[in-house]
Amino acid sequence: MPMESIWAYTVDSGLAAGADLTGCTVAASDGTIGQVDRQAEHFGMPHLVVDTGVWVFGRSVLIPVGMVHAVDLTARTVTVACTRSEVKAAPRFRTDSETMDRAYLAAVGDYYHRLPPRETSAS
């Protein structure tokens, strides 16, 4: 996957233009990660901030939108093309100001870009 595509929804994700994903459940290939707390875009790097609840010690994680495999607005779910452990191992998200830090966003994008590609099954 080209690095730029980590910051863009895939054409077949099912996301309608302008859709609000806030509150959607986020699922990895091996289980639930949490809920979308907010969508943000700084420096042309759109991403989701996901509240993991108690799963990752009550912290949030940042996921580039290019990792979104599927969106089901009726069921209010977002499926990402990675595992829970891969999300947990991503660069740590500490404060909201990091969503406006170009170097932090670049590090997150680089991390997810380097993950092995996933075969996705049709639902």
Side-chain angles (χ1 to χ4, degrees), residues 26 36 41 50 54 78-79 101 116 119:
V26 179
V36 176
E41 179 176 347
V50 179
V54 296
V78 174
T79 305
D101 179 340
E119 288 296 320

Side-chain angles (χ1 to χ4, degrees), residues 23-28 31-37 49-56 59 61 63 76-78 84 87:
C24 287
T25 299
V26 179
T32 301
I33 294 171
Q35 287 191 323
V36 176
D37 186 41
V49 176
V50 179
D51 179 355
T52 64
V54 296
W55 172 61
V56 186
R59 70 179 173 97
V61 295
I63 301 175
R76 304 287 299 153
T77 59
V78 174
R84 288 168 46 107
V87 170

Side-chain angles (χ1 to χ4, degrees), residues 2-69:
M3 183 60 145
E4 313 78 56
S5 63
I6 203 73
W7 300 111
Y9 287 100
T10 61
V11 176
D12 58 353
S13 69
L15 182 68
D20 182 9
L21 301 180
T22 305
C24 287
T25 299
V26 179
S29 59
D30 58 351
T32 301
I33 294 171
Q35 287 191 323
V36 176
D37 186 41
R38 64 192 168 283
Q39 297 164 257
E41 179 176 347
H42 301 286
F43 310 109
M45 300 174 179
H47 52 273
L48 304 175
V49 176
V50 179
D51 179 355
T52 64
V54 296
W55 172 61
V56 186
F57 308 112
R59 70 179 173 97
S60 294
V61 295
L62 189 141
I63 301 175
V65 298
M67 294 304 295
V68 173
H69 168 66

